């Protein structure tokens, strides 16, 4: 995964592929073109080439401004924060004879965990 993180950060002139599929700043497909043509287009419009999809044939690059790159990075970090990570779960167990105030306290704790995007597992034991 470190390469995937660097892929969006790979902006500019160092393009290892000979043929690219280029998307304009507005999102229109400009089709497949040679690396030199794409670089010339990038220089003419004072934009940067950003790798979007490395696995496609040919790889997909998009012409973007610095502001667009920054906004896209912010979106990706927000999306990453919103997705709960595997292993981010909390487990809580309590007796069926729990006192009312203890139940309220644990309910508040559960609500806080859910707000933080944790998976919550509850176990209720039967009182003796």
């Amino acid at each position: 995964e470190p390469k995937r993180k660097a892929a969006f950060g790979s902006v500019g002139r160092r393009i290892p592929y000979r043929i690219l599929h280029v998307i304009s700043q507005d999102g229109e497909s400009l089709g497949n073109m040679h690396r030199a043509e794409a670089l010339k287009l990038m220089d003419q419009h004072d934009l940067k080439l950003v790798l979007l999809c490395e696995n496609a044939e040919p790889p997909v690059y998009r012409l973007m401004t610095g502001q667009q790159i920054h906004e896209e990075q912010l979106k990706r970090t927000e999306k990453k924060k919103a997705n709960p990570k595997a292993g981010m779960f909390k487990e809580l167990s309590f007796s069926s004879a729990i006192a009312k105030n203890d139940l309220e306290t644990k309910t508040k704790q559960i609500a806080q965990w859910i707000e933080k995007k944790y998976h919550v597992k509850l176990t209720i034991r039967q009182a003796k």
Side-chain angles (χ1 to χ4, degrees):
E1 281 295 345
K3 189 175 183 184
R4 176 64 62 212
K5 287 180 186 173
F8 190 76
S10 66
V11 176
R13 310 193 78 73
R14 302 183 91 202
I15 300 171
Y17 308 102
R18 182 167 270 185
I19 302 295
L20 318 170
H21 182 83
V22 180
I23 298 174
S24 74
Q25 180 183 1
D26 305 322
E28 297 174 29
S29 175
L30 300 176
N32 297 343
M33 59 179 66
H34 193 272
R35 174 179 47 212
E37 272 184 82
L39 290 172
K40 191 186 315 178
L41 195 62
M42 178 183 87
D43 290 336
Q44 286 173 350
H45 296 288
D46 197 28
L47 299 171
K48 294 176 172 73
L49 274 171
V50 179
L51 177 64
L52 292 183
C53 183
E54 186 173 27
N55 300 331
E57 192 56 46
V60 179
Y61 279 79
R62 181 171 181 184
L63 291 165
M64 298 176 120
T65 63
Q67 179 66 29
Q68 287 174 320
I69 293 169
H70 180 70
E71 288 170 3
E72 188 66 29
Q73 286 173 334
L74 287 177
K75 278 187 214 172
R76 288 182 183 208
T77 54
E78 285 298 317
K79 192 181 283 188
K80 190 181 268 188
K81 284 181 185 177
N83 293 340
K85 296 175 181 76
M88 283 187 56
F89 70 93
K90 298 283 186 173
E91 186 171 355
L92 190 64
S93 63
F94 47 90
S95 170
S96 60
I98 190 171
K100 184 179 179 184
N101 60 334
D102 291 339
L103 181 63
E104 288 173 0
T105 302
K106 289 189 179 198
T107 305
K108 288 178 187 173
Q109 181 64 54
I110 292 166
Q112 288 175 354
W113 288 340
I114 291 173
E115 281 180 30
K116 292 180 180 178
K117 308 289 188 208
Y118 284 97
H119 292 281
V120 180
K121 179 179 178 182
L122 299 177
T123 307
I124 303 173
R125 297 182 312 265
Q126 183 177 0
K128 295 181 181 173

